[in-house]
Each structure stands twice: as structure tokens, then as C-alpha cells.
Amino acid sequence: MSNPNMGFLPPLGWNSWNTFTWDINEELIRQVADVFVEQGYKDAGYEYIVIDDCWSLRERDEQGRLVPDPAKFPSGMKALADYIHSKGLKFGMYSCAGTHTCAGYPGSFEHEFQDAKQFAEWEVDYLKYDYCFKPRSMEGELLYRRMGLALKNCGRDILFSACNWGQDEVHGWIRSAGAHMYRSTGDIQDNWESIKRLAISQLDKAAYTGNYCHNDMDMLVVGMHGGSNNDFIGTVGGCTDVQYKTHFSLWSMMGSPLMIGCDIRKANDTIKDILQNKDILAINQDREARGVYVLHPEPHWFHGQECYMLVKVLADGDLAIGFFNLSDSKRELPLMFWDLGLSIGSGKKLSLYDCWEHKDLGVFTERFAPTVDAHDCLVVRGKLV
Ligand code: GLA
């Protein structure tokens, strides 16, 4: 019997890659599990703790099995899974559709069923499946179907997190291959330009998400502050807290899985308040998991793609509305209620609640036109009254 909740909503969790890349070990993973419980992440809904690339030895063993690096994981993966499960959390691992992972460790190509069985034996709950070093002449679609089938038949519920970076028009076929989430973007970096680029790249794909197959815009950089050990991801600077807030709001509203990428052992209160904002998380975790629609404020020629509103229809009839200003100057972003389907003749108004300030803004008729600072956003929950 499979668990009907698995992948129903966008998965919430933590992944080792953005901050630690190759420098991972069982002690770190256990500490992250402890922090999940002790510092409110578990109560906020975060559940999956995922080890990314670089966990294995460079070669398979004589039986063709993947071998955890004993220097990094001396107790083995089953013991680590037990520890994570003892905290009421779930355990994720990583492999690749090609012969090698992106960092050059063994991939699952032609070992799909064997590896799925191995992950099940270790009591893994989630598999991220990357796209490096796959034979060029083979369709990615077939390789994701293979692992999708192997996981569905491995004897354990394992959530399938596909990661082909949005290539090959993935949104058109990935749901049918069995994945519960799919990366739609190239790798994120801990800087504002990257956040902005990824967010804008998914505006025309906003509808391709939903229950059991979520558009994964990549792991969060919230709270990294330049803390990666990897030059590409970003070893200096990072973003401002306002930019992290906007990043979190965008990913949440667009229905992306929210996989924390910072060192949560060191996160300060501002970062915790962003990651654990219950009003924003409730939008991301709305049970109908609808994709947003996009509204471009007038005048269009002025705002271009840099300023827009995202609107998500929620299960209880409310509307989540995000006003995003990705430009470098302060902007007024007028929302006309007729664009929401609220006809003037209906006599309906909108009562708006600010999901970052956690307070009511009042009741509005026909339009609402907030001024939003550069790189900032306003996210409201609107109730028809
Ligand atoms: C790719 C993925 C990243 C990460 C690395 C690991 O680049 O997109 O998220 O998993 O591989 O090598």
C-alpha cells in the first residue's frame, strides 16, 4: 500500500548541496535533524533531510552495489536513516540517470532496479535523480521512466525528485514518468541575479505544477549569506534579507518544493522567521496545489517582466496575491480586481491580510495599489467579503 500523502503537496526539507557540496558526513546530517526538531522546522512542516552528491565511493563494489564512503558515513546509511526516522523525519538520497553523478561518482545508469532496491533497504524515503553523463543518444524521458518504475516497485514509498534542469521540455512528460517533483531550472546561485533569472524563467510554466508532480525551481539559498564552499554557488556576499524574503515568497507562491540550502545550525532569527513564516507556508502547502496565474501591472511597457503579480486560487476560496518588484527602483503595482474575476457588478470586495507583517490591511474595492521597494514583495491573502 503506498502512502497517498507522499508527494501530494510540495515537499519541504533541507538538502546538503548548496552550502556543503562535497564536504558532508553523518554528524552534520544528524545535527540538521536535531535542529529540525529543536528549532521549529519540523513543526513548521519541514520533513525531508536529503544528502546530495558526493556520498559514495568512486567505484561500486564487486556485486555492483553503491558503497557509502566510510570516511564520511562510518555508521552506514541504514543507521542514519534510523536516526532521522527516530525524530519523525524522512531521509533523502541522491543519484543520477547517467553513468556518473555530476561530481563524478557512480550514477544509476543500467543499475536502476538494483539501486532502487538498495535505497529501499537503507530505508530511504526520497531520491533526487540528476542528469549528468547520460548517453547523448538516449532520451532522458526513458531514463526517468526507468527509475520511476524501479522506485514504484522497490517495496518502499520513495518520493521521486527528478533533476534535469528544465531540459528537453521536461514539463511536458515528467508527470507521466512518475516523478513527484521536477527541477525546471539550472543550478541556483546565492545572488540576486540568479534568483531573479530563475523566477522569471518559470513565469510561462506556472501552470505546470500540481498535486503529485511539483515544479521544483531549485533549492533555496535563503540564509546562506555567501556561505557555500563552492565558488559557483557563491562564496562571498550572498543576498540581503529582503532579497531572501522575496526569493522565499516567489518559490512558495509558485508551488515549488522548499528545500532549505543554508547551514540551519547557524541561521539567525530573521532567517528562521523567513523559513518558518506560517502564512507563506500555508500558501505553498494549500491542498489543491494550483499553479499561479501572472498579472502584469500597467503600464506594461514600463514594468516589463521585472514587476508582476502572482495569483493563486486557494482551496477555501481565498486568493493568495504576491506583488513582486524585481526591478532596481521603487514601484507602484496596481492590481485591478476585475483581473481576478471579481466583477464590479458582483458587489464583492476584498479583505486583505499581509502575510509578512501578519496583520489585516483593510477592505478594498475595485483596486489595490501598493508601493513596493526594489527587490521586495508584498504577499497578501485576500478574502471575498
Ligand atoms: C547538479 C544539480 C545540483 C546538484 C549537483 C551535484 O548540478 O543540479 O542540484 O545536485 O548536480 O553534483
Side-chain angles (χ1 to χ4, degrees), residues 211-248:
N211 297 116
Y212 296 117
C213 192
H214 307 278
N215 178 340
D216 174 9
M217 293 163 62
D218 203 357
M219 299 156 312
L220 302 171
V221 293
V222 176
M224 288 181 64
H225 297 300
S228 182
N229 66 0
N230 179 297
D231 283 346
F232 174 79
I233 300 168
T235 49
V236 281
C239 302
T240 66
D241 290 339
V242 166
Q243 292 167 344
Y244 285 140
K245 165 194 158 192
T246 300
H247 165 38
F248 190 72

mmCIF file of all heavy atoms in Angstrom, residues 211-248:
data_model
loop_
_atom_site.group_PDB
_atom_site.id
_atom_site.type_symbol
_atom_site.label_atom_id
_atom_site.label_comp_id
_atom_site.label_asym_id
_atom_site.label_seq_id
_atom_site.Cartn_x
_atom_site.Cartn_y
_atom_site.Cartn_z
ATOM 1 N N ASN A 211 -0.628 18.722 -7.594
ATOM 2 C CA ASN A 211 -0.518 17.580 -6.694
ATOM 3 C C ASN A 211 0.227 16.420 -7.357
ATOM 4 O O ASN A 211 -0.044 16.070 -8.499
ATOM 5 C CB ASN A 211 -1.908 17.093 -6.276
ATOM 6 C CG ASN A 211 -2.677 18.152 -5.499
ATOM 7 O OD1 ASN A 211 -3.705 18.628 -5.943
ATOM 8 N ND2 ASN A 211 -2.162 18.535 -4.353
ATOM 9 N N TYR A 212 1.161 15.874 -6.626
ATOM 10 C CA TYR A 212 1.958 14.701 -7.018
ATOM 11 C C TYR A 212 3.016 14.968 -8.084
ATOM 12 O O TYR A 212 3.746 14.049 -8.459
ATOM 13 C CB TYR A 212 1.066 13.530 -7.470
ATOM 14 C CG TYR A 212 0.177 12.984 -6.380
ATOM 15 C CD1 TYR A 212 -1.208 13.041 -6.486
ATOM 16 C CD2 TYR A 212 0.721 12.402 -5.237
ATOM 17 C CE1 TYR A 212 -2.030 12.540 -5.490
ATOM 18 C CE2 TYR A 212 -0.087 11.897 -4.236
ATOM 19 C CZ TYR A 212 -1.470 11.968 -4.360
ATOM 20 O OH TYR A 212 -2.274 11.467 -3.377
ATOM 21 N N CYS A 213 3.121 16.195 -8.611
ATOM 22 C CA CYS A 213 4.221 16.472 -9.548
ATOM 23 C C CYS A 213 4.474 17.986 -9.581
ATOM 24 O O CYS A 213 3.863 18.712 -10.359
ATOM 25 C CB CYS A 213 3.922 15.932 -10.941
ATOM 26 S SG CYS A 213 5.382 15.939 -12.002
ATOM 27 N N HIS A 214 5.403 18.427 -8.731
ATOM 28 C CA HIS A 214 5.589 19.853 -8.463
ATOM 29 C C HIS A 214 6.786 20.416 -9.229
ATOM 30 O O HIS A 214 7.828 19.760 -9.327
ATOM 31 C CB HIS A 214 5.781 20.063 -6.961
ATOM 32 C CG HIS A 214 4.682 19.432 -6.153
ATOM 33 N ND1 HIS A 214 3.467 20.045 -5.947
ATOM 34 C CD2 HIS A 214 4.597 18.222 -5.556
ATOM 35 C CE1 HIS A 214 2.687 19.246 -5.241
ATOM 36 N NE2 HIS A 214 3.347 18.129 -4.986
ATOM 37 N N ASN A 215 6.618 21.631 -9.697
ATOM 38 C CA ASN A 215 7.713 22.337 -10.387
ATOM 39 C C ASN A 215 8.743 22.804 -9.362
ATOM 40 O O ASN A 215 8.485 23.691 -8.549
ATOM 41 C CB ASN A 215 7.127 23.539 -11.149
ATOM 42 C CG ASN A 215 8.196 24.359 -11.852
ATOM 43 O OD1 ASN A 215 9.385 24.295 -11.519
ATOM 44 N ND2 ASN A 215 7.784 25.157 -12.819
ATOM 45 N N ASP A 216 9.923 22.197 -9.418
ATOM 46 C CA ASP A 216 10.994 22.463 -8.447
ATOM 47 C C ASP A 216 11.946 23.500 -9.039
ATOM 48 O O ASP A 216 12.703 23.196 -9.958
ATOM 49 C CB ASP A 216 11.709 21.136 -8.166
ATOM 50 C CG ASP A 216 12.932 21.302 -7.295
ATOM 51 O OD1 ASP A 216 13.157 22.395 -6.755
ATOM 52 O OD2 ASP A 216 13.683 20.305 -7.167
ATOM 53 N N MET A 217 11.896 24.717 -8.511
ATOM 54 C CA MET A 217 12.710 25.807 -9.062
ATOM 55 C C MET A 217 14.139 25.808 -8.517
ATOM 56 O O MET A 217 14.907 26.723 -8.772
ATOM 57 C CB MET A 217 12.012 27.133 -8.801
ATOM 58 C CG MET A 217 10.706 27.231 -9.595
ATOM 59 S SD MET A 217 9.584 28.508 -9.023
ATOM 60 C CE MET A 217 10.549 29.988 -9.286
ATOM 61 N N ASP A 218 14.506 24.806 -7.803
ATOM 62 C CA ASP A 218 15.818 24.530 -7.188
ATOM 63 C C ASP A 218 15.786 24.879 -5.695
ATOM 64 O O ASP A 218 14.909 25.579 -5.212
ATOM 65 C CB ASP A 218 16.983 25.258 -7.870
ATOM 66 C CG ASP A 218 18.316 24.528 -7.596
ATOM 67 O OD1 ASP A 218 18.310 23.523 -6.844
ATOM 68 O OD2 ASP A 218 19.351 24.961 -8.131
ATOM 69 N N MET A 219 16.781 24.370 -5.025
ATOM 70 C CA MET A 219 16.848 24.506 -3.570
ATOM 71 C C MET A 219 17.031 25.969 -3.185
ATOM 72 O O MET A 219 17.582 26.763 -3.935
ATOM 73 C CB MET A 219 17.998 23.650 -3.047
ATOM 74 C CG MET A 219 17.768 22.195 -3.384
ATOM 75 S SD MET A 219 19.194 21.129 -3.470
ATOM 76 C CE MET A 219 20.379 21.935 -4.444
ATOM 77 N N LEU A 220 16.574 26.288 -1.990
ATOM 78 C CA LEU A 220 16.628 27.678 -1.525
ATOM 79 C C LEU A 220 18.061 28.098 -1.192
ATOM 80 O O LEU A 220 18.864 27.287 -0.718
ATOM 81 C CB LEU A 220 15.762 27.830 -0.275
ATOM 82 C CG LEU A 220 14.282 27.460 -0.429
ATOM 83 C CD1 LEU A 220 13.590 27.453 0.927
ATOM 84 C CD2 LEU A 220 13.588 28.441 -1.372
ATOM 85 N N VAL A 221 18.323 29.382 -1.413
ATOM 86 C CA VAL A 221 19.590 29.960 -0.926
ATOM 87 C C VAL A 221 19.338 30.863 0.280
ATOM 88 O O VAL A 221 20.279 31.472 0.813
ATOM 89 C CB VAL A 221 20.346 30.732 -2.033
ATOM 90 C CG1 VAL A 221 20.831 29.769 -3.115
ATOM 91 C CG2 VAL A 221 19.494 31.837 -2.645
ATOM 92 N N VAL A 222 18.100 30.937 0.741
ATOM 93 C CA VAL A 222 17.753 31.781 1.903
ATOM 94 C C VAL A 222 18.722 31.498 3.062
ATOM 95 O O VAL A 222 18.919 30.345 3.439
ATOM 96 C CB VAL A 222 16.314 31.481 2.387
ATOM 97 C CG1 VAL A 222 16.001 32.284 3.650
ATOM 98 C CG2 VAL A 222 15.305 31.763 1.291
ATOM 99 N N GLY A 223 19.321 32.551 3.580
ATOM 100 C CA GLY A 223 20.165 32.422 4.769
ATOM 101 C C GLY A 223 21.590 31.978 4.520
ATOM 102 O O GLY A 223 22.361 31.811 5.457
ATOM 103 N N MET A 224 21.970 31.821 3.258
ATOM 104 C CA MET A 224 23.342 31.354 3.004
ATOM 105 C C MET A 224 24.366 32.469 3.231
ATOM 106 O O MET A 224 25.487 32.207 3.657
ATOM 107 C CB MET A 224 23.455 30.782 1.593
ATOM 108 C CG MET A 224 22.747 29.435 1.476
ATOM 109 S SD MET A 224 22.874 28.706 -0.157
ATOM 110 C CE MET A 224 24.646 28.425 -0.264
ATOM 111 N N HIS A 225 24.003 33.691 2.878
ATOM 112 C CA HIS A 225 24.895 34.840 3.088
ATOM 113 C C HIS A 225 26.310 34.551 2.578
ATOM 114 O O HIS A 225 27.304 34.835 3.255
ATOM 115 C CB HIS A 225 24.949 35.221 4.572
ATOM 116 C CG HIS A 225 23.617 35.674 5.120
ATOM 117 N ND1 HIS A 225 22.928 36.751 4.624
ATOM 118 C CD2 HIS A 225 22.858 35.174 6.125
ATOM 119 C CE1 HIS A 225 21.799 36.918 5.300
ATOM 120 N NE2 HIS A 225 21.720 35.975 6.209
ATOM 121 N N GLY A 226 26.402 33.944 1.404
ATOM 122 C CA GLY A 226 27.728 33.658 0.833
ATOM 123 C C GLY A 226 28.429 32.497 1.512
ATOM 124 O O GLY A 226 29.648 32.363 1.392
ATOM 125 N N GLY A 227 27.690 31.618 2.173
ATOM 126 C CA GLY A 227 28.317 30.561 2.977
ATOM 127 C C GLY A 227 28.595 29.255 2.271
ATOM 128 O O GLY A 227 28.901 28.269 2.927
ATOM 129 N N SER A 228 28.512 29.219 0.945
ATOM 130 C CA SER A 228 28.805 27.945 0.259
ATOM 131 C C SER A 228 30.303 27.686 0.232
ATOM 132 O O SER A 228 31.112 28.620 0.267
ATOM 133 C CB SER A 228 28.286 27.997 -1.180
ATOM 134 O OG SER A 228 28.528 26.769 -1.832
ATOM 135 N N ASN A 229 30.685 26.411 0.132
ATOM 136 C CA ASN A 229 32.109 26.096 -0.067
ATOM 137 C C ASN A 229 32.424 25.960 -1.560
ATOM 138 O O ASN A 229 33.510 25.537 -1.929
ATOM 139 C CB ASN A 229 32.498 24.827 0.694
ATOM 140 C CG ASN A 229 31.809 23.579 0.148
ATOM 141 O OD1 ASN A 229 31.035 23.658 -0.794
ATOM 142 N ND2 ASN A 229 32.093 22.437 0.736
ATOM 143 N N ASN A 230 31.456 26.352 -2.404
ATOM 144 C CA ASN A 230 31.586 26.152 -3.839
ATOM 145 C C ASN A 230 31.539 27.516 -4.539
ATOM 146 O O ASN A 230 30.584 28.273 -4.359
ATOM 147 C CB ASN A 230 30.419 25.249 -4.282
ATOM 148 C CG ASN A 230 30.397 24.977 -5.761
ATOM 149 O OD1 ASN A 230 30.248 25.893 -6.563
ATOM 150 N ND2 ASN A 230 30.530 23.723 -6.118
ATOM 151 N N ASP A 231 32.548 27.807 -5.345
ATOM 152 C CA ASP A 231 32.660 29.124 -5.978
ATOM 153 C C ASP A 231 31.467 29.449 -6.863
ATOM 154 O O ASP A 231 31.025 30.599 -6.919
ATOM 155 C CB ASP A 231 33.915 29.186 -6.857
ATOM 156 C CG ASP A 231 35.153 29.354 -6.017
ATOM 157 O OD1 ASP A 231 35.006 29.693 -4.826
ATOM 158 O OD2 ASP A 231 36.260 29.103 -6.543
ATOM 159 N N PHE A 232 30.955 28.457 -7.583
ATOM 160 C CA PHE A 232 29.838 28.718 -8.492
ATOM 161 C C PHE A 232 28.591 29.141 -7.712
ATOM 162 O O PHE A 232 27.897 30.084 -8.087
ATOM 163 C CB PHE A 232 29.527 27.471 -9.336
ATOM 164 C CG PHE A 232 28.286 27.631 -10.180
ATOM 165 C CD1 PHE A 232 28.327 28.345 -11.368
ATOM 166 C CD2 PHE A 232 27.065 27.096 -9.768
ATOM 167 C CE1 PHE A 232 27.182 28.518 -12.137
ATOM 168 C CE2 PHE A 232 25.919 27.268 -10.535
ATOM 169 C CZ PHE A 232 25.983 27.975 -11.722
ATOM 170 N N ILE A 233 28.315 28.442 -6.624
ATOM 171 C CA ILE A 233 27.100 28.756 -5.855
ATOM 172 C C ILE A 233 27.262 30.104 -5.151
ATOM 173 O O ILE A 233 26.316 30.879 -5.042
ATOM 174 C CB ILE A 233 26.788 27.621 -4.849
ATOM 175 C CG1 ILE A 233 26.560 26.310 -5.604
ATOM 176 C CG2 ILE A 233 25.560 27.954 -4.006
ATOM 177 C CD1 ILE A 233 26.523 25.081 -4.725
ATOM 178 N N GLY A 234 28.469 30.386 -4.694
ATOM 179 C CA GLY A 234 28.724 31.713 -4.141
ATOM 180 C C GLY A 234 29.395 31.652 -2.785
ATOM 181 O O GLY A 234 28.792 31.229 -1.813
ATOM 182 N N THR A 235 30.634 32.089 -2.758
ATOM 183 C CA THR A 235 31.398 32.045 -1.521
ATOM 184 C C THR A 235 31.498 33.409 -0.852
ATOM 185 O O THR A 235 32.024 33.524 0.241
ATOM 186 C CB THR A 235 32.827 31.531 -1.781
ATOM 187 O OG1 THR A 235 33.358 32.261 -2.871
ATOM 188 C CG2 THR A 235 32.822 30.062 -2.129
ATOM 189 N N VAL A 236 31.029 34.441 -1.540
ATOM 190 C CA VAL A 236 31.057 35.773 -0.919
ATOM 191 C C VAL A 236 29.711 36.470 -1.070
ATOM 192 O O VAL A 236 28.991 36.265 -2.045
ATOM 193 C CB VAL A 236 32.131 36.713 -1.536
ATOM 194 C CG1 VAL A 236 33.508 36.404 -1.017
ATOM 195 C CG2 VAL A 236 32.087 36.655 -3.050
ATOM 196 N N GLY A 237 29.399 37.275 -0.097
ATOM 197 C CA GLY A 237 28.266 38.183 -0.239
ATOM 198 C C GLY A 237 26.918 37.554 0.012
ATOM 199 O O GLY A 237 26.350 37.680 1.068
ATOM 200 N N GLY A 238 26.412 36.857 -0.977
ATOM 201 C CA GLY A 238 25.052 36.344 -0.888
ATOM 202 C C GLY A 238 24.058 37.455 -1.115
ATOM 203 O O GLY A 238 24.326 38.408 -1.854
ATOM 204 N N CYS A 239 22.911 37.361 -0.475
ATOM 205 C CA CYS A 239 21.829 38.309 -0.711
ATOM 206 C C CYS A 239 21.496 39.063 0.572
ATOM 207 O O CYS A 239 21.913 38.680 1.664
ATOM 208 C CB CYS A 239 20.583 37.555 -1.170
ATOM 209 S SG CYS A 239 20.841 36.590 -2.661
ATOM 210 N N THR A 240 20.697 40.121 0.407
ATOM 211 C CA THR A 240 20.166 40.810 1.589
ATOM 212 C C THR A 240 18.971 40.008 2.121
ATOM 213 O O THR A 240 18.399 39.175 1.419
ATOM 214 C CB THR A 240 19.676 42.223 1.222
ATOM 215 O OG1 THR A 240 18.550 42.082 0.330
ATOM 216 C CG2 THR A 240 20.763 43.038 0.547
ATOM 217 N N ASP A 241 18.582 40.310 3.344
ATOM 218 C CA ASP A 241 17.431 39.600 3.908
ATOM 219 C C ASP A 241 16.157 39.890 3.122
ATOM 220 O O ASP A 241 15.287 39.027 2.993
ATOM 221 C CB ASP A 241 17.255 39.964 5.387
ATOM 222 C CG ASP A 241 18.377 39.366 6.245
ATOM 223 O OD1 ASP A 241 19.017 38.391 5.792
ATOM 224 O OD2 ASP A 241 18.615 39.880 7.354
ATOM 225 N N VAL A 242 16.030 41.112 2.597
ATOM 226 C CA VAL A 242 14.865 41.440 1.766
ATOM 227 C C VAL A 242 14.847 40.553 0.516
ATOM 228 O O VAL A 242 13.800 40.020 0.118
ATOM 229 C CB VAL A 242 14.875 42.935 1.377
ATOM 230 C CG1 VAL A 242 13.890 43.222 0.242
ATOM 231 C CG2 VAL A 242 14.543 43.791 2.594
ATOM 232 N N GLN A 243 16.004 40.381 -0.101
ATOM 233 C CA GLN A 243 16.062 39.525 -1.291
ATOM 234 C C GLN A 243 15.738 38.069 -0.943
ATOM 235 O O GLN A 243 15.055 37.378 -1.706
ATOM 236 C CB GLN A 243 17.457 39.638 -1.940
ATOM 237 C CG GLN A 243 17.695 41.019 -2.545
ATOM 238 C CD GLN A 243 19.154 41.275 -2.905
ATOM 239 O OE1 GLN A 243 20.066 40.563 -2.457
ATOM 240 N NE2 GLN A 243 19.394 42.304 -3.702
ATOM 241 N N TYR A 244 16.198 37.610 0.209
ATOM 242 C CA TYR A 244 15.860 36.236 0.622
ATOM 243 C C TYR A 244 14.353 36.104 0.867
ATOM 244 O O TYR A 244 13.745 35.085 0.550
ATOM 245 C CB TYR A 244 16.627 35.849 1.889
ATOM 246 C CG TYR A 244 18.102 35.540 1.668
ATOM 247 C CD1 TYR A 244 19.067 35.972 2.582
ATOM 248 C CD2 TYR A 244 18.520 34.780 0.568
ATOM 249 C CE1 TYR A 244 20.409 35.672 2.409
ATOM 250 C CE2 TYR A 244 19.869 34.485 0.383
ATOM 251 C CZ TYR A 244 20.816 34.924 1.307
ATOM 252 O OH TYR A 244 22.139 34.627 1.138
ATOM 253 N N LYS A 245 13.760 37.145 1.446
ATOM 254 C CA LYS A 245 12.311 37.130 1.685
ATOM 255 C C LYS A 245 11.552 37.035 0.360
ATOM 256 O O LYS A 245 10.587 36.267 0.221
ATOM 257 C CB LYS A 245 11.922 38.413 2.438
ATOM 258 C CG LYS A 245 10.449 38.736 2.462
ATOM 259 C CD LYS A 245 10.207 40.184 2.917
ATOM 260 C CE LYS A 245 8.868 40.689 2.447
ATOM 261 N NZ LYS A 245 8.706 42.144 2.623
ATOM 262 N N THR A 246 12.002 37.799 -0.642
ATOM 263 C CA THR A 246 11.345 37.775 -1.952
ATOM 264 C C THR A 246 11.531 36.411 -2.620
ATOM 265 O O THR A 246 10.590 35.840 -3.189
ATOM 266 C CB THR A 246 11.896 38.915 -2.840
ATOM 267 O OG1 THR A 246 11.629 40.148 -2.167
ATOM 268 C CG2 THR A 246 11.251 38.927 -4.209
ATOM 269 N N HIS A 247 12.731 35.881 -2.534
ATOM 270 C CA HIS A 247 13.039 34.533 -3.067
ATOM 271 C C HIS A 247 12.099 33.500 -2.439
ATOM 272 O O HIS A 247 11.461 32.704 -3.143
ATOM 273 C CB HIS A 247 14.508 34.262 -2.722
ATOM 274 C CG HIS A 247 15.001 32.864 -2.825
ATOM 275 N ND1 HIS A 247 14.611 31.975 -3.809
ATOM 276 C CD2 HIS A 247 15.900 32.185 -2.056
ATOM 277 C CE1 HIS A 247 15.254 30.825 -3.632
ATOM 278 N NE2 HIS A 247 16.022 30.920 -2.572
ATOM 279 N N PHE A 248 11.965 33.536 -1.131
ATOM 280 C CA PHE A 248 11.111 32.568 -0.439
ATOM 281 C C PHE A 248 9.643 32.741 -0.849
ATOM 282 O O PHE A 248 8.917 31.758 -1.037
ATOM 283 C CB PHE A 248 11.267 32.742 1.080
ATOM 284 C CG PHE A 248 10.620 31.633 1.873
ATOM 285 C CD1 PHE A 248 11.177 30.363 1.911
ATOM 286 C CD2 PHE A 248 9.454 31.860 2.588
ATOM 287 C CE1 PHE A 248 10.590 29.336 2.641
ATOM 288 C CE2 PHE A 248 8.853 30.839 3.320
ATOM 289 C CZ PHE A 248 9.417 29.580 3.341
#
